[in-house]
Amino acid sequence: MLNALIAVGVATWFTVAYPVLRRRLATHPPSGGAPLFWPLTLVVVFAFMPLVFTVPREDGNAVLEQGLTASNVVTIVLTGLTALYLIVKVAADRRVLLLPFAMPYLPFTLMIGMDGLSAAWSIVPTYTLYRTAELAVFTLASILIFDRPDIRRRLADILAIVTLAWLVSVTPEVLQNLASGIVFSSAKNNMMPLVCALLGFSAWFGPPNRRRGRYLVLAAMGFVIAGSAASTGALIAVGPALMIASRRPGLRVAGVVLALVALALFLFLMIGLSSFPGLLDLLSVILQKPKVELANATGRGQFWPTFIAATQDRLLGSGFSAADRFVQLLIPTTGLADELGRDAVFISSSHNMFLSAWAGTGIVGLSFAVVTLVEPVRFAATADRGTRRIVACLILMLALNGMTTPGLFQDWNVNVLAYVAALACARAACREVEAEAVPEASAARPIPSPGGTGQAWPAA
């Protein structure tokens, strides 16, 4: 009965209360335009520090039993420094606090609020509160990076800096793998392909840029170096996304249908690729991956059912990020070990952003997963064609790539960075459309004739 009441309450909230709350909370602040150096430096260092300095764990619950490692401490310090920077910015201009409540950022901001609220029933409340604070801090820092009047022109430049910073941090790994003949995924990173793809979209669909050719080469190079099978497969989202970005209703509907087909095909090939040995052999050669790894989605097909079983009775989740990181607290360790082998006991993520949303905040999280993916595409509908294409391609690739990554719903990562970048681009484009509409409306306003007949004269 309680579960039924929760389900009805959540459905009612998202269909009735959420639209009202969105209208009431939506703000219309001017573009931020903060100096770029400090927020970009803090975000990039935080994002790529684990690639050059991290203390590995051998136990999924080690942080609870053994305390923080040196790399954990560095991460917390970076979060604190970024928070201090934001406090200084807010003290100088309180309108900074309004930016996360502007559309289309607002749904994601509400999701972060729900993440924090889930600490009340989290299996590890302290961890949930920290992860929520981290997500809030770096999301606002990301907004300050990208929310600027000229972002449509500068988007590719900023993303190129992020991509180059990542390439520098993984250069030793790339060189080592290239020496072994490994090109594709020579520095595998399930998150960076989305940033590289967005760089390519912004260079191709965005305003003319004299560095377009170089940016396209950089985007392709980064995508191949970081690439995984899932990120490569997510490229099938580009076709449906271009159709969804169209102004023609029939083409948009066809794009939605094709996107759903692509999603079903993507999931089927992830789980059932072993049923097509010829295709499996071909992909193994192209992607330079062992066939056994491609056939079972790197173990995800085995782990997901156990993960779902551990969380199925918690309709409000077990705490943002905590349920992913400490799934061992939800199911007996022996059960995981018996079913999947000893290594599976230490898995610290569901490796699926929709499962992460479900595990963290239950059906509320799944609802926000849909809202935060649909709202940007809907919001960008009034923007220019290039912006519509950038947003639609990014969102659909995020949905597909999120089948094997935490995406937006376990912690802050460069997927969130790319997501915020696309939202900022949409906000800037829509503000330009609104600004152009105001003079046109003023020019078209009727002016009463001297005779008082009400006949309109053309405005001067």
Side-chain angles (χ1 to χ4, degrees), residues 85-94 96:
Y85 167 79
L86 295 177
I87 290 172
V88 172
K89 296 300 296 183
V90 170
D93 188 348
R94 293 185 179 180
V96 169

Side-chain angles (χ1 to χ4, degrees), residues 39 42-43 46 77-87 137-138 141:
L42 289 166
V43 165
F46 178 83
V77 169
L78 287 172
T79 303
L81 289 174
T82 307
L84 181 61
Y85 167 79
L86 295 177
I87 290 172
V137 164
F138 284 101

Side-chain angles (χ1 to χ4, degrees), residues 393-415:
C393 288
L394 184 280
I395 293 298
L396 262 67
M397 279 197 69
L398 176 63
L400 291 187
N401 194 51
M403 293 294 104
T404 61
T405 70
L408 308 177
F409 302 109
Q410 185 183 347
D411 53 19
W412 186 91
N413 54 65
V414 291
N415 273 3

